[in-house]
Amino acid sequence: MNAPNTGGSMVSPPDPSAIQNRLFIGGRFVDAADGATIEVLNPHDNSLITKVAEAKAADVDRAVAAAQAAFPKWRDMAAMDRGRLLLKLADRIEAEQAALGALEALDTGHPFRDTQILDVPRTAVTYRYFGGMADKFEGSVIPVEQGFLNYLLREPLGVVGQVVPWNFPLMFTSWKMAPALAAGNCVVLKPSEITPLSTLRIAELMAEVGFPDGVVNILPGYGRTAGQHLAEHPEVAKIAFTGSTPVGRQVVQASAGNLKKVQLELGGKGANIVFEDANLRAAIGGGAFAIFHNQGQACIAGSRLLLHERIADEFLDGFLALARSIRLGNPLDTATEMGPLTSRLHQERVLNYCGIATEQGGEILAGGAPPQDAALAKGCYVAPTVVRAKPQDRVCQEEVFGPFVTVTTFADEAEALAIANGTDYGLGGGLWTADLSRAHRFARAMKSGMVWINCYKRVNPGSPFGGTGQSGYGREMGFEVMREYTQAKSVWVNVDAQIPPYYPR
């Protein structure tokens, strides 16, 4: 039984009449071309927050045209001036920390305490990082044969389409838009129809700080209509997608028409390995954060706990006690440690995996159902769930994307590595050990784009983020993502007048 949510204070929700709910195209908020709307629900009780305009193909065409028109001026603007706008935006986000945090909590179910210390600050720091990067991303000079100068330019791609999921909508505005804009591209971004509100608020702030019309366009809509058309659009130079692996495959297929550049950040099934010499107190707390933060709705979640058989019982005693103590409740309550899943459909999906676990012989050690608190009955809640399962079970192979962690034991390093690498995914993973040599061995050997040692889920705008295998390709963050949003141009100069042409006369 999870601890009741007591001792906090309620944060005032945003005024519904003040929430932006229209498409942002060409620097203006407009209705959808056909007037269609989408209901946006509060996952705490499934009440209606607002209705937002629903973008379809005609709206995507309008947004791409606006971005195309804005691109030459934005591309040619001094990089320092592009950076200044991103820095101004970062300042505005920080100034509106409480209001943005409340909006994100209302729309997504993230606890307000998390949106205040993680979501909003991470968003601001990412815009600030790439604001500083804009005039510091350099080309290079390449050593070639004597008499010639060869230099490399990095040029923006043009109009970039971006499709992001519902789990971290505010933060993803910065992960996706900040580097694309710093590099000189114009953006058409489709947030999830489930959680579009903070993204539309960012569009308002961008307009207020002076981003030119058409540089950024925001289109809430469904993936099968707006997302599909954006991925297929012949005037879009790149599509950047974050979401599930099956949909990622569809994006690749849709991109083939004009061979647009594709960047995919897809699913994960993170292995979190605890060795016999680990600091168990740290590993228990870190393991809980790895899977229960944001209700486990994270591609990098540590959703597979691999425990050395010598410490498994001791670890589980502490881990289960911690899981059962997590305070579930209204995300606008400052005492809430875990809120609802973001939609009823996703709640049902996660609960279905609890049934799959037991059908395959797994043992539910904690959770496995909605909480019993009557005050939460209308919401999309799932209690923190811990399942003992075998590595080959579906719950150890498929991404559940909820507060759902499997527990498996191992006898030695070879077995731990085989289990860790025994899925199709390769996004993030971690290990807890006092053995420095082992830590580096495993960091090299794990099939993963990111490895955390004695920590988990650390991210920073300077550190590349992305995966391998079915977790996609390309990288967010750092200098790597600036390469993703630019193309290389090689320029050759004959600097020695004595060198004749290839066909002398």
Side-chain angles (χ1 to χ4, degrees), residues 25 56-66 68 219 229 233-234:
I25 298 176
K56 296 180 183 175
D59 304 297
V60 173
D61 290 341
R62 283 195 291 165
V64 171
Q68 280 186 299
L219 304 178
H229 192 60
H233 204 290

Side-chain angles (χ1 to χ4, degrees), residues 318-344:
F319 188 80
L320 291 171
L322 194 160
R324 292 172 180 136
S325 74
I326 293 172
R327 294 190 294 270
L328 275 66
N330 188 328
L332 291 175
D333 189 325
T334 59
T336 292
E337 295 174 329
M338 199 172 97
L341 300 183
T342 303
S343 71
R344 180 70 78 198

Side-chain angles (χ1 to χ4, degrees), residues 437-478:
S437 296
R438 171 194 281 157
H440 289 295
R441 281 199 308 275
F442 264 72
R444 286 193 302 269
M446 288 178 72
K447 185 183 71 176
S448 183
M450 296 167 286
V451 177
W452 295 280
I453 298 170
N454 294 329
C455 59
Y456 206 97
K457 283 181 72 173
R458 300 297 307 180
V459 295
N460 182 281
S463 179
F465 183 106
T468 63
Q470 299 301 302
S471 293
Y473 48 78
R475 291 294 181 269
E476 310 276 8
M477 310 295 220

Side-chain angles (χ1 to χ4, degrees), residues 15-201:
D15 177 358
S17 66
I19 295 175
Q20 182 56 247
N21 59 7
R22 295 190 293 168
L23 312 180
F24 186 64
I25 298 176
R28 292 166 179 77
F29 286 96
V30 297
D31 293 326
D34 67 356
T37 60
I38 301 169
E39 291 188 344
V40 180
L41 304 180
N42 178 351
H44 168 63
D45 57 11
N46 282 288
S47 60
L48 180 68
I49 301 173
T50 189
K51 295 180 181 180
V52 298
E54 178 193 348
K56 296 180 183 175
D59 304 297
V60 173
D61 290 341
R62 283 195 291 165
V64 171
Q68 280 186 299
F71 175 61
K73 184 177 179 181
W74 182 249
R75 174 197 60 202
D76 296 339
M77 180 185 289
M80 182 179 294
D81 292 333
R82 293 198 301 265
R84 282 197 185 104
L85 289 171
L86 291 167
L87 295 172
K88 287 181 180 178
L89 178 61
D91 290 342
R92 286 299 306 275
I93 290 169
E94 287 180 338
E96 297 207 5
Q97 181 167 342
L100 273 170
L103 182 63
E104 189 79 337
L106 178 73
D107 195 18
T108 67
H110 295 202
F112 179 76
R113 57 188 285 166
D114 286 351
T115 64
Q116 289 298 282
I117 64 174
L118 294 174
D119 300 54
V120 179
R122 283 177 173 178
T123 302
V125 78
T126 302
Y127 280 116
R128 183 164 288 116
Y129 177 87
F130 287 105
M133 174 78 83
D135 62 352
K136 299 176 184 66
F137 187 60
E138 301 174 345
S140 58
V141 176
I142 301 165
V144 294
E145 55 266 36
Q146 189 174 0
F148 290 90
L149 168 67
N150 180 221
Y151 61 90
L152 188 71
L153 299 175
R154 303 295 310 194
E155 297 183 335
L157 302 171
V159 178
V160 171
Q162 302 177 324
V163 179
V164 295
W166 41 260
N167 56 329
F168 287 101
L170 176 63
M171 194 172 70
F172 280 140
T173 68
S174 62
W175 284 33
K176 284 288 189 286
M177 290 199 290
L181 296 170
N185 300 284
C186 291
V187 168
V188 178
L189 184 143
K190 190 200 85 65
S192 169
E193 71 281 1
I194 299 173
T195 57
L197 302 183
S198 60
T199 308
L200 290 169
R201 178 57 186 151

Side-chain angles (χ1 to χ4, degrees), residues 165 241-250 264-267 399 425 470:
F241 173 78
T242 298
S244 72
T245 298
V247 177
R249 294 192 186 97
Q250 296 174 22
L264 301 174
E265 198 270 282
L266 306 176
E399 187 177 39
Y425 296 105
Q470 299 301 302

Side-chain angles (χ1 to χ4, degrees), residues 1-2 284 288 292 305 307 312-326 363-367 384-388 405 407:
M1 186 72 178
N2 285 87
I284 288 167
F292 299 133
L305 269 172
L307 308 177
D313 290 343
E314 183 181 357
F315 180 96
L316 278 174
D317 285 345
F319 188 80
L320 291 171
L322 194 160
R324 292 172 180 136
S325 74
I326 293 172
E363 179 187 3
I364 295 179
L365 304 177
T385 298
V386 184
V387 177
R388 197 192 303 273
V405 63
V407 176

